Every structure is written in C-alpha cells, then in structure tokens.
Amino acid sequence: MRAFAALYARLDATTSSNAKLAALQDYFAEAAPEDAAWAVFFLAGGRPRQLVPSRTLRELAMQAAQLPAWLFEESYSAVGDLAETIALLLPAAEQSSELGLAQWLEERLLPLRGLPPEELAERLPSFWRELDSLALMVCIKLITGAFRVGVSRLLVTRALANLAELDPKRVAQRLVGYTELSHRPSAERYLQLIAPESAGEHAQRGGQPYPFFLAHALQLPPEQFDSALGPVQDWQAEWKWDGIRVQLVKRDGQLWIWSRGEELITERFPDLHGLVDTLADGTVIDGELVVWRHGPADEDVQGALLNAPPVAEASAVQGIQPFALLQQRIGRKTLSRKLLDEVPVAVMAYDLLEWQGEDYRSQPQHHRRTGLQALVAACASPRLLLSPLLIADSWAALAAQREASRALGVEGMMLKAREAQYGVGRTKDVGVWWKWKVEPFSVDAVLLYAQRGHGRRASLYTDFTFAVWDAPPGTPGRSLVPFAKAYSGLTDAEMRQVDAIVRKTTLEKFGPVRSLTPSLVFELGFEGIALSKRHKSGIAVRFPRMLRWRQDKTVEEADTLAMLQAMLP
Amino acid sequence: MDLVIARPEGLYCPPGDFYIDPWRPVERAVITHGHGDHARWGSQHYLAAAPGEGILRSRLGAEINLQTLAYGERINHHDVTLSLHPAGHVLGSAQVRLEYRGEVWVASGDYKVEPDATCAPFESVRCHTFITESTFGLPIYRWQPQAQIFAGVDDWWRQNQAAGRASVLFCYAFGKAQRLLQGIDASIGPILVHGAMEPLNQVYRDAGVALPDTLRVSEVPKGDPRLRQGLIMAPPSAGGSTWMRRFGDYSDAFASGWMLLRGARRRRGVDRGFVLSDHADWPGLNWAIAECGAERVFVTHGSVNILVRHLREQGLDAQAFDTEYGDEDDSAEAPTDATQEPA
C-alpha cells in the first residue's frame, strides 16, 4: 500500500505525461506482480463496487477524529473530497503498513462489503491506524470507488509496453476487458499483460472486443481543411450519431455487445439478440447504438439507405430518435415489453474490425467499408443499419450538408481518412478520425444558486444552477426559472472572481447551497434539449457548460424559457 | 464595558478613543503588523511594536507619525493601559493588550504559535476577553513541524539542481520569504530573489535577523549557470509573467498554508505545494484561546462562524466580529496576488 500511495502522490504532483510515465514505469518495475495487477486495474479505470456505505464511513471517521457531525461536514465542504477530508482529520500513523496492495485489497478491503456496521466499526479504524495520511487517503478512495488520478489508459498501456518491450497496441489489446468487474486481477493476469508476444496471439478468443479507435475534435474553419486535411476525396464522411458507441462481437455462435467503456451490455439490449443468427462467426462491427423507429413504409431500411443516392437527405435518417429516449434504456435493469416496443434500438454500423475470423483493422478504411456494406446487406436486419456515406466534391459542399445536422438529430460529422488503418485508442500513428461537431446550442442564463465544487474546484463556489426568464422583458412580475446545472467552462481566474461575487451576493444558505441576488449572466452551451417532467422548467438540457461569462449583459437581458422551448426538436 | 467594538472604520476602543488595524484613515491607529490588510495608509498617528518600525516605514512611508513600543512596555492613554506582545506572525507582529478598570482584553491580530527565528515567538497573555483570527479555523488544518517543510524544500531544490533545472519558489514577499530563507539549507546553491523581495530582506537584516546572502535575479546575466542551480524566490504575481522566461526549464512550487488541500494545489498549477503558514493551525488556535484564559472570545477574519460555534460548544462566550481583514467568512481560497494577505 505504501508503494502504491507513493505512486499516487507522484502522479498527482505533476501534469507532465512524461513524468507520469516515468512514475508508472518505476512503480511497475518494482512492484510484485499481484500488487501490480491491482494497480493496473485501478489506474486503467477499474472500479470495484463501493465496499462500505459512505454514511458508515463518515460516521466511523467522525468517531475516530472525535468531531461533531457539523464540523466534519464543514471540513468536507472546504476540502471537497471525502477521502482527503478523512485523511486530514484522522490522527496519522507515523509509519505506513508494509503490506502490499493485493493483500490490502483481498484480505482486508474487499471482504468489507456487506458487513454489518458493528463489524465495520471493529475493522476499519484499526486499518486506518496502520496508514499515514497519504496512504489513508488512497485507501479510502479504493473503498469508496472514487479512485481517480489523472492517468489515461493509454499512459498505463505505454508504461507496461515500455517495461515489457512490447508494442503498445498489443498491450492495449490484452487490456481489453481487464477492468471488467467479473474478472479479479491476479498475478497471473498481470503477467499475461506483459508476457512476450506469442505466435497465435492475434487470433481473438471468446467475446473479446478490440480497443476502440477514438476520434479527435476538429476545430478548424472549413476554409483551412484543404491545407490541413488534403482533398475531400481522400476522406470518408459520415454523420456523427448521438448514441452509445458499441462493438458487436459474434464468435463461436454467440453475440457480445460491448460499450466504449468496455462494459459488457449484451443483456440490456435483447432487441439485438436476433443478430446472433444473421451475423457470421468471426465478425466484429464497430458502430453506434441508437433508438430507431421504423416508419410504415420503411420495411427495408438498410436497403433504402444503400439504394438511396449517397447524399444526405432528411429521409435517410428519419428514424433516429433523440438521445433522451436512449437514456430511458440505459441503466434500466428490468426491460418491460412496453419499453422495448416504445424505445426500440438499432446499431448504426460504421466499421468492420474482424471479418471471417480475420483481424481487419490494418486494412484501409475504404476496404473495411466495402466489406461492411456487403455484410450489412447480407444480414438484412432492421436492427443493423449502415451509417450512410456523405458525398461532396468539396469541403465547402460538405460543410453545407453539415448545416442539416441539428434537424437530422446528429451531432455533426465524422471524417475518416480513406487509406487509414483502424487505430488503438486516442492514437494518430496509423490514421486519424476527426469529429467535426456542430456548434452547441446556447442561451444566456442567470446564475441563481451556487454550491462549492469538488476536486480542482474544491472550496470555491463553482457548481451553479442557471435560470431563464419565464416571460419577455417588460412583463411585470416575471420570474427566473432554473433549468440547468453547470460547473465547467470557466478559467481559474474567472472561477475566483465568480466565487468572490457569489459570497458577496448571497441571499440565503440552505445547507451547502447559496441562493444569490441575480447579478451574473453566462452563455450556457449544451448538446441537446428535450421535454422533461422531472424539471420545473419542463425541459432538460444535455451536457450543459459555461461557454462565456457575459459581463456585457445585465440580468434583464438574459434569455427566456420561450427561447429554450423553440429549440426543442 | 466592551473595550473593543466593531465600527465601520475598524476595531475601536471607546475608552481609549483609538482604533486597532483600521481599514479607513483615523486619528489614532494601533497596528498589529505590517501586512497590507492590517496596516493601512492615511491615519494621523500610528503606534506599533518597535521591531516592526522598519517594515511600517518602508510600506506606509518614512514620514508617517509612528510611535513604537518595546514588547511588554506599557503606556497609558485616557486611562487605558496598553502594551504590545509578540504574536509570532512576522517581524514586529504584536498582540494588543488593553486594560481598563481591571478588565483585560487582548486583540491578537494574526498569530502563529510555532516559534521561528525571524520574529519574537508568540507569547500567551492572560485576559478576560480575547480577539482571535480564524484564517485556518477548521480541524483539517494541522501543520507539520516547519523543519520537515524546510527539509522538503531542500530536497526538491537538490533534485532540480541534479537535473539541471531552476527551482522557482513562489511565496509572499513579507514574512514567508524571510522565514524560508532562514530555514532552508543555503549551502545547496545560490539563492536568487525577485526585485520585490530584496527590500524586505534588507529590513529583516537591519533588524538583526540572520538571513543567507541573496542575489537579485536582475543582477545575474541570462544563461548564467547559477540560474539553473539556484533557488529562485518570487512573489506569486510573478508566476506566468514574462519574467519567468529567463529560467528556461524550471520546476515551480508555492509555499502557503492553503497548499494543504489538493484542490488548492491543483488550481495553483505548480509542481509542488509546500504547506508553510504564518498563521496558527486548528490546534494552535484552540491552544492559544485556552491558554489565555479568556471566557469571552471574539472571532475575526477566516472561518468565523465555524470557530464561533466550536468555541460555544466548548462552553465559551464566543461571538463574531465583522472585519475587512484578509478573506471574508468561510473562504478557503488562497490569495492570488502579492498585495493580499498571505497565509
């Protein structure tokens, strides 16, 4: 635990990727395989389920620190991180336990799950007494499942690859599924990650997916595309679908559906299980899971899409439904017949990663596309659609097509180099995918409530609730209606300024929340908007964030609810 | 009767007709220490502890009408007996003891209970009523002994030196800088300071505080190897400015009590945060309050409401004083520029 805590401190202390890489390599070079196995699990984003309820954790911490609840909560509010708060409040041990990470987890922490509070009260404080302040914080983060330390999976992959002198892509492949809850990390699994490459390794087994190839944001005006990207003919353009990125894996007569977070979600989408009969063994498809309603005259959708002129027309994507509907399916454990009928899903296929058992990823994009088209046509399932190609003879023409994105319910376009391979993660060495998103929706809203933030924003009032007016300017007695919460988008300097203003304009405090005399206007951006019964305003916006602090606008000049309603699809 | 009350101009002693650290110009001002939010320009008469004279004159002007007292020396003014006692915060910092008709009040200004070699150590003064600051008034704030912090700075400097990198240490120019200079191991390499710091170093040296030799950064030519071997001390406002360019590859650090919190460290965006404060931590505040024997406590700037509630739970008669010192109310944010109250 001590070595892992020291690694955490090193990673946390720097923003340099090289310094982080060096810290990871130093750690893995020294660590016992069973400890390294768990370190990889956590660093690559693995989360065990919460081992101890937060409430119990807080109560035991208050007792150990001999503090009343209110003082503990005030401390937590200032620190903005539960594990850090507890570590700062408890008397620290002089020396940290020598016991390794694996032993801590397997013999001490994992067995805590489900224990009665009396038993937890017995065990936890005695564990804490063995840890210094840093190790204590890390330990509590492992317990709460809130362990995060600014290391990308890619960086872990590189550290292991450097150490074992392997191709990082190979390590990435081996890491797929490593953080799945059903597999417990072990020395054996860790040693497999860094083992020398074996001859037959490229052949995939079981339901193992490939690492997803991730896109980069394209933030250039279209006039510069020719010089930055080359001619439009070298690129494959598609809509950027607003759904869940998935891989469909069909092998050994079985179908697996993986989300981009490498979570197995097969069970949640029974509507797609029929594909097991239509896809051939040894097929892996990359695509977007979306809610798709088939129109009455739309029985042969994929045929229609293929036969249609390869130009985007509204009719080609008329079946796509807003993401808000898909949210009704995500996370739902029991799926009623009604829900399945009302919110049917389909996969919008856009890449072919394995075909007839062969890894297709090193084939050029256009070649994979040809294979994909044939496959989807042969499959002839209304649940497997082909993401249409968007054809234009110039970037300007493509940019013009992109204007239709909002109306079509897509987020913009994807640009994929025709000759490029399918890469690993967010790499650019063998090809690149660009996401060319449309500008977000935006509205000028008034800051109404503020709460202190967490992490980097800890102790500053940075978590805001925003409101718009319920009537046009000049209407007597009009009022502000809260509609969105946002916390990102401000610079550090702006955060401090706004924090100071929040403190000065506080009307009332409700627990951690302050209501404010309205004085600040922000331009809020968001990706989607939908009707909502749960919100007082009657609407819900997706991924809201602050685009700009409108210091040039008064509160009276902020936008109205009617303007938001006009944006509804 | 109350010997100190809060007025719009500042804390005021009615029987003595003078103010303590007023934030507006007044006739008579008793100054606890020279930080900008306590010592303000424009009053007619100033009274302060003798070791702080150099600081006050360098900040408020050589010509100010300033009377000084040795620590412990008593004077009488309108029947109020006044004396100043070390607060351990910075050079010349004082607690103000007021006695009137058998009633004793002590206004602490800012204070720190751990002794250090750059100023007289905090002296506990018995009183009936104590006015305390509360900058770090939360139980999360517990300082490590300063020797450990200095050793941490030394290690960081040595590592950078070995890697051929400059070590840029940001800290407040008055108080913190001198404490660091005094505490670090000057044999490691040359110490270079930002132009804004050297005049204060000189004031400390003139007052008899032993500080290692320092060079002004501007005296060292560009490309001089000393830039990469040295420890460079600068006020926080120099961070991100063009002044930094001369150092090429450097590691930066910030020394402040606020660096205890990970969030504050990350926002500051420096490589290292050294938790070194010139204020009392939570145990320090509670110790000082218990030690002075006061039954009544007024709490000023910092975590006012929290400390008040905590003291009431301990059975003391505690109340809040609204002041314009440092950070307001429950803020825990680090000050961002060198003119603000340091921590």
Side-chain angles (χ1 to χ4, degrees), chain A residues 31-173:
Chain A
E34 64 269 25
D35 295 335
W38 278 101
V40 171
F41 175 82
F42 284 108
L43 294 166
R47 303 266 171 278
R49 279 187 211 92
Q50 177 144 17
L51 299 172
V52 176
S54 306
R55 194 192 162 87
T56 312
L57 199 61
R58 283 171 191 234
E59 279 166 8
L60 293 175
M62 284 174 216
Q63 283 167 23
Q66 297 180 309
L67 289 177
W70 71 268
L71 197 47
F72 182 88
E73 293 304 329
E74 287 284 1
S75 298
Y76 176 43
S77 175
V79 178
D81 179 301
L82 184 62
E84 190 184 350
T85 308
I86 295 176
L88 288 171
L89 289 176
L90 293 194
E94 289 294 314
Q95 273 287 320
S96 235
S97 159
E98 293 288 345
L99 219 56
L101 180 63
Q103 271 182 294
W104 264 92
L105 279 155
E106 290 165 14
E107 294 169 16
R108 296 181 159 195
L109 303 184
L110 294 178
L112 295 174
R113 181 178 302 128
L115 289 183
E118 317 83 72
E119 188 60 31
L120 290 172
E122 199 61 36
R123 294 194 195 184
L124 269 177
S126 71
F127 293 161
W128 291 343
R129 280 193 289 275
E130 290 182 41
L131 299 170
D132 66 18
S133 184
L134 175 66
L136 180 57
M137 177 174 83
V138 173
C139 171
I140 294 169
K141 283 182 176 292
L142 299 182
I143 291 177
T144 58
F147 182 88
R148 278 211 309 266
V149 66
V151 168
S152 67
R153 199 181 176 101
L154 184 63
L155 208 62
V156 178
T157 309
R158 279 173 57 198
L160 293 174
N162 289 352
L163 202 70
E165 295 176 3
L166 288 165
D167 181 354
K169 291 191 198 64
R170 174 56 59 207
V171 177
Q173 179 61 61

Side-chain angles (χ1 to χ4, degrees), chain A residues 446 469 471-475 478 480 518-519 521 553-560:
Chain A
V446 179
W469 293 105
T475 312
R478 69 173 183 159
L480 287 164
S519 67
V521 179
K553 283 210 166 187
T554 67
V555 170
E556 289 301 320
E557 291 171 289
D559 288 334
T560 63

Side-chain angles (χ1 to χ4, degrees), chain A residues 70 88 456 496 503, chain B residues 142 266-267 313 328 336:
Chain A
W70 71 268
L88 288 171
R456 189 177 161 74
R496 279 191 286 264
R503 289 168 198 274
Chain B
R142 292 181 294 163
R266 288 160 71 196
R267 272 201 300 278
E313 288 184 357
E328 61 100 21
T336 49

Side-chain angles (χ1 to χ4, degrees), chain A residues 310-568:
Chain A
V311 174
E313 285 170 14
S315 61
V317 289
Q318 70 185 358
I320 185 101
Q321 302 295 316
F323 188 81
L325 264 180
L326 186 54
Q327 277 175 320
Q328 296 184 12
R329 290 284 304 263
I330 303 170
R332 194 71 72 89
K333 284 214 180 88
T334 51
L335 297 161
S336 65
R337 188 69 249 167
K338 185 163 169 278
L339 187 70
L340 291 178
D341 286 344
E342 284 175 1
V343 190
V345 299
V347 169
M348 196 54 87
Y350 43 67
D351 216 324
L352 184 59
L353 311 188
E354 182 175 315
W355 175 233
Q356 295 178 330
E358 188 195 333
D359 183 348
Y360 237 49
R361 294 175 299 161
S362 54
Q363 303 284 344
Q365 183 81 51
H366 64 86
H367 189 75
R368 302 200 305 275
R369 173 75 194 189
T370 309
L372 181 71
Q373 290 183 353
L375 183 153
V376 173
C379 187
S381 161
R383 301 292 191 182
L384 186 67
L385 312 175
L386 186 68
S387 175
L389 293 186
L390 307 171
I391 309 297
D393 50 17
S394 69
W395 288 116
L398 201 60
Q401 286 190 43
R402 179 169 157 273
E403 296 301 311
S405 297
R406 278 280 182 245
L408 297 173
V410 296
E411 294 183 306
M413 286 182 179
M414 293 295 302
L415 304 176
K416 303 171 180 177
R418 278 175 54 81
E419 295 300 329
Q421 299 178 25
Y422 187 92
V424 169
R426 214 172 288 284
T427 53
K428 282 184 180 171
D429 55 342
V430 297
V432 61
W433 281 9
W434 293 108
K435 44 184 173 189
W436 184 23
K437 291 174 80 165
V438 288
E439 294 297 315
F441 290 105
S442 78
V443 68
D444 290 329
V446 179
L447 175 54
L448 206 57
Y449 301 103
Q451 195 169 354
R452 289 199 274 200
H454 292 87
R456 189 177 161 74
R457 300 180 308 279
S459 75
L460 291 182
Y461 284 90
T462 52
D463 291 8
F464 303 137
T465 302
F466 291 96
V468 285
W469 293 105
D470 63 355
T475 312
R478 69 173 183 159
S479 59
L480 287 164
V481 191
F483 77 101
K485 286 186 173 187
Y487 50 81
S488 64
L490 294 185
T491 64
D492 285 5
E494 286 172 330
M495 264 193 237
R496 279 191 286 264
Q497 279 178 296
V498 175
D499 172 76
I501 297 171
V502 165
R503 289 168 198 274
K504 286 200 189 90
T505 57
T506 299
L507 275 178
E508 277 183 279
K509 300 181 189 177
F510 314 94
V513 181
R514 289 174 174 224
S515 70
L516 311 176
T517 307
S519 67
L520 302 181
V521 179
F522 291 83
E523 182 179 345
L524 279 201
F526 47 93
E527 295 301 316
I529 179 163
L531 284 171
S532 162
K533 288 186 191 114
R534 290 193 303 134
H535 296 78
K536 194 174 162 192
S537 59
I539 50 153
V541 295
R542 201 166 143 228
F543 190 35
R545 72 267 188 195
M546 289 166 269
L547 297 178
R548 214 150 46 108
W549 181 3
R550 296 296 306 256
Q551 286 171 289
D552 57 322
K553 283 210 166 187
T554 67
V555 170
E556 289 301 320
E557 291 171 289
D559 288 334
T560 63
L561 193 54
M563 297 176 73
L564 278 173
Q565 284 158 346
M567 295 176 188
L568 284 166

Side-chain angles (χ1 to χ4, degrees), chain B:
Chain B
M1 82 179 287
D2 283 352
L3 297 194
V4 179
I5 59 172
R7 276 200 177 177
E9 296 84 356
L11 298 182
Y12 177 70
C13 175
D17 187 27
F18 56 79
Y19 287 84
I20 299 170
D21 295 347
W23 41 88
R24 291 184 198 167
V26 299
E27 180 65 25
R28 288 178 187 280
V30 180
I31 302 299
T32 62
H33 66 285
H35 279 140
D37 52 339
H38 290 260
R40 301 205 191 208
W41 183 84
S43 290
Q44 297 300 309
H45 300 85
Y46 289 97
L47 178 73
E53 176 167 3
I55 299 284
L56 287 180
R57 290 203 187 276
S58 78
R59 306 201 121 194
L60 300 181
E63 72 296 342
I64 54 165
N65 185 349
L66 171 66
Q67 181 187 352
T68 61
L69 294 178
Y71 285 129
E73 182 184 350
R74 293 184 172 208
I75 55 164
N76 210 290
H77 184 76
H78 297 326
D79 285 343
V80 176
T81 303
L82 183 151
S83 55
L84 301 174
H85 302 266
H89 177 58
V90 289
L91 181 63
S93 67
Q95 307 173 71
V96 183
R97 180 185 183 276
L98 306 171
E99 183 172 352
Y100 181 71
R101 297 182 185 166
E103 184 72 15
V104 179
W105 285 48
V106 170
S108 68
D110 289 338
Y111 63 93
K112 167 172 70 54
V113 299
E114 186 184 23
D116 79 89
T118 61
C119 62
F122 178 87
E123 175 191 320
S124 180
V125 182
R126 301 289 294 180
C127 56
H128 300 104
T129 302
F130 186 58
I131 302 173
T132 182
E133 59 138 323
S134 61
T135 309
F136 290 102
L138 272 173
I140 48 177
Y141 294 109
R142 292 181 294 163
W143 308 145
Q144 286 183 299
Q146 59 197 350
Q148 284 181 27
I149 306 296
F150 294 140
V153 177
D154 291 343
D155 285 346
W156 166 74
W157 181 10
R158 278 196 202 94
Q159 280 171 21
N160 292 333
Q161 205 176 46
R165 259 195 315 257
S167 305
V168 182
L169 178 56
F170 296 112
C171 60
Y172 191 66
F174 168 31
K176 193 70 59 65
Q178 292 75 32
R179 202 169 148 213
L180 280 159
L181 278 172
Q182 198 280 326
I184 54 174
D185 179 356
S187 71
I188 297 174
I191 301 173
L192 291 80
V193 299
H194 187 273
M197 277 180 174
E198 196 51 19
L200 286 151
N201 292 341
Q202 200 49 51
V203 173
Y204 268 70
R205 289 189 182 107
D206 293 346
V209 178
L211 297 182
D213 290 338
T214 49
L215 274 167
R216 281 174 195 262
V217 169
S218 54
E219 292 172 53
V220 180
K222 280 183 185 157
D224 189 307
R226 284 177 295 181
L227 289 176
R228 277 178 284 115
Q229 293 157 5
L231 177 70
I232 295 128
M233 295 176 58
S237 54
S241 70
T242 52
W243 185 81
M244 296 295 297
R245 283 195 201 144
R246 68 192 77 205
F247 305 115
D249 184 23
Y250 63 85
S251 174
D252 53 5
F254 187 64
S256 158
W258 303 115
M259 292 296 105
L260 185 71
L261 300 189
R262 224 174 124 235
R265 279 202 301 276
R266 288 160 71 196
R267 272 201 300 278
R268 179 61 61 173
V270 289
D271 296 331
R272 291 290 296 271
F274 294 111
V275 187
L276 186 73
S277 176
D278 297 335
H279 291 264
D281 58 2
W282 175 259
L285 291 169
N286 282 283
W287 175 84
I289 292 163
E291 200 67 12
C292 72
E295 285 164 7
R296 239 177 128 193
V297 180
F298 285 93
V299 180
T300 65
H301 63 300
S303 301
V304 177
N305 299 333
I306 291 164
L307 189 57
V308 165
R309 182 167 173 188
H310 171 72
L311 293 174
R312 285 186 184 162
E313 288 184 357
Q314 314 301 307
L316 293 175
D317 174 10
Q319 296 166 58
F321 252 159
D322 206 10
T323 65
E324 290 183 16
Y325 308 134
D327 292 310
E328 61 100 21
D329 175 64
D330 53 352
S331 163
E333 172 57 342
T336 49
D337 85 46
T339 62
Q340 278 180 293
E341 169 69 355

